[in-house]
Amino acid sequence: MDNTKKTARVVCAVVRHEGKYLCMKRTRSRYAYVSEHWEFPGGKVEQGECDHEALLREIREEMKWDIFVGQKLAELDYDYPDFSTHLVAYDCRCDQPDTFLLLDHLDYKWLDYDELDSLDWTAADRELLRLIQP
């Protein structure tokens, strides 16, 4: 990882329900290479937070939704042109799959594992797809 760039620890929820994975489409941002790309929901870990707390907070803030956070699935480092990320993915479950709000995303899809590759993912999340198993 490039130490001259700002680096963030980011957690994401790989939410599975009845064999399908929740995919979220990002809003437009100042970085074209992540704008309107697909991702697993989550966000930055704030100082003093553990991953579990950060993930629950991010999902509540961005989606007004409660999930169950399980075991760590994978983690990776990724260098984007303007920043670096340490991405940690957790296996998550939900009781009510379509009760969340799109407060911070443009769209969502529930897809089978073999359909995930059809989306235009952020680069870090595309790398993550190679590390998670159905």
Side-chain angles (χ1 to χ4, degrees):
M1 223 184 320
D2 182 350
N3 290 330
T4 61
K5 295 181 194 174
K6 185 174 181 178
T7 301
R9 182 177 181 89
V10 175
V11 289
C12 68
V14 179
V15 182
R16 294 185 258 201
H17 183 75
E18 296 180 354
K20 297 199 180 281
Y21 292 75
L22 179 61
C23 312
M24 305 297 291
K25 189 172 187 178
R26 293 175 57 99
T27 58
R28 184 169 292 163
S29 76
R30 64 181 168 170
Y31 303 120
Y33 48 84
V34 294
S35 289
E36 300 181 24
H37 285 65
W38 292 85
E39 68 178 358
F40 291 109
K44 293 179 188 171
V45 178
E46 294 179 358
Q47 189 171 0
E49 276 184 320
C50 70
D51 287 358
H52 184 268
E53 292 168 332
L55 191 51
L56 291 174
R57 176 186 52 74
E58 285 286 344
I59 299 300
R60 285 182 189 129
E61 286 176 3
E62 294 180 358
M63 302 167 72
K64 297 286 186 231
W65 200 40
D66 289 316
I67 60 170
F68 303 98
V69 179
Q71 69 180 6
K72 184 189 312 180
L73 292 174
E75 60 186 297
L76 60 90
D77 293 317
Y78 194 87
D79 288 326
Y80 286 103
D82 301 289
F83 62 94
S84 297
T85 185
H86 181 82
L87 181 61
V88 187
Y90 287 88
D91 185 29
C92 297
R93 301 280 191 258
C94 63
D95 277 342
Q96 300 174 323
D98 292 316
T99 59
F100 57 82
L101 302 174
L102 291 176
L103 300 176
D104 214 42
H105 293 90
L106 296 175
D107 198 5
Y108 76 97
K109 292 183 180 188
W110 287 98
L111 297 178
D112 290 322
Y113 183 81
D114 60 356
E115 297 174 300
L116 295 177
D117 205 39
S118 68
L119 299 179
D120 186 13
W121 291 90
T122 64
D125 283 78
R126 180 157 302 281
E127 290 292 320
L128 183 61
L129 287 176
R130 297 179 188 161
L131 300 175
I132 63 173
Q133 300 296 317

